[in-house]
Amino acid sequence: TMLTLFLGITGGITWGPAIEPIVRLGPFYGFVFCAFVAFMLFCMLNVLTGIFVDAAIQTAVNDRDNIIQRQMQEKKSLINMIKSVFETTDVDGSGCLSRDEFDGLLANHEVRFLLKNIGID
């Protein structure tokens, strides 16, 4: 019966007593029972386990804290890059940009893009 099949794959009944009446009907039916149990245990249950594991991994990847941390690291990296650009633009080494140095810096489209990425228009 269906109950015997269910109990056979869930450990509710041992396979020996479950297969004895089936084998009396014919060895082919015993083979079908064994194939069913093997298929369910090795294929279907592994697929279901894989689906649950994949869902757990996706949840961890999309974790809010991880996203915030990654965004903070990206912003810090952009700030460091812009700081480096400002330091190389300071040709007189005073630590401050003159108006001419700053205007030359803003003429660079890449620098304007970097500034816009960190929220400076």
Side-chain angles (χ1 to χ4, degrees):
T1 66
M2 293 300 290
L3 178 61
T4 305
L5 293 174
F6 175 75
L7 292 174
I9 63 168
T10 60
I13 189 172
T14 58
W15 297 346
I19 201 168
E20 283 178 359
I22 296 172
V23 172
R24 279 190 235 139
L25 294 174
F28 173 74
Y29 296 111
F31 173 77
V32 170
F33 177 81
C34 289
F36 171 80
V37 170
F39 176 78
M40 290 301 292
L41 289 177
F42 298 117
C43 298
M44 290 299 293
L45 296 179
N46 283 334
V47 168
L48 291 175
T49 301
I51 290 170
F52 286 118
V53 169
D54 186 53
I57 290 172
Q58 292 299 323
T59 301
V61 167
N62 295 329
D63 187 33
R64 181 177 174 260
D65 294 335
N66 290 338
I67 292 171
I68 291 171
Q69 182 69 24
R70 186 185 62 211
Q71 288 175 346
M72 289 174 55
Q73 288 174 347
E74 288 174 3
K75 192 168 189 173
K76 186 176 181 179
S77 174
L78 279 171
I79 290 171
N80 287 337
M81 187 183 314
I82 291 172
K83 182 179 177 184
S84 170
V85 169
F86 274 91
E87 288 172 351
T88 57
T89 305
D90 183 21
V91 291
D92 59 3
S94 65
C96 295
L97 292 180
S98 68
R99 180 72 178 182
D100 293 333
E101 292 171 334
F102 188 71
D103 288 340
L105 182 67
L106 289 181
N108 186 340
H109 295 289
E110 184 177 328
V111 171
R112 287 197 323 230
F113 179 74
L114 290 173
L115 290 171
K116 189 174 184 178
N117 276 340
I118 62 168
I120 300 174
D121 290 331

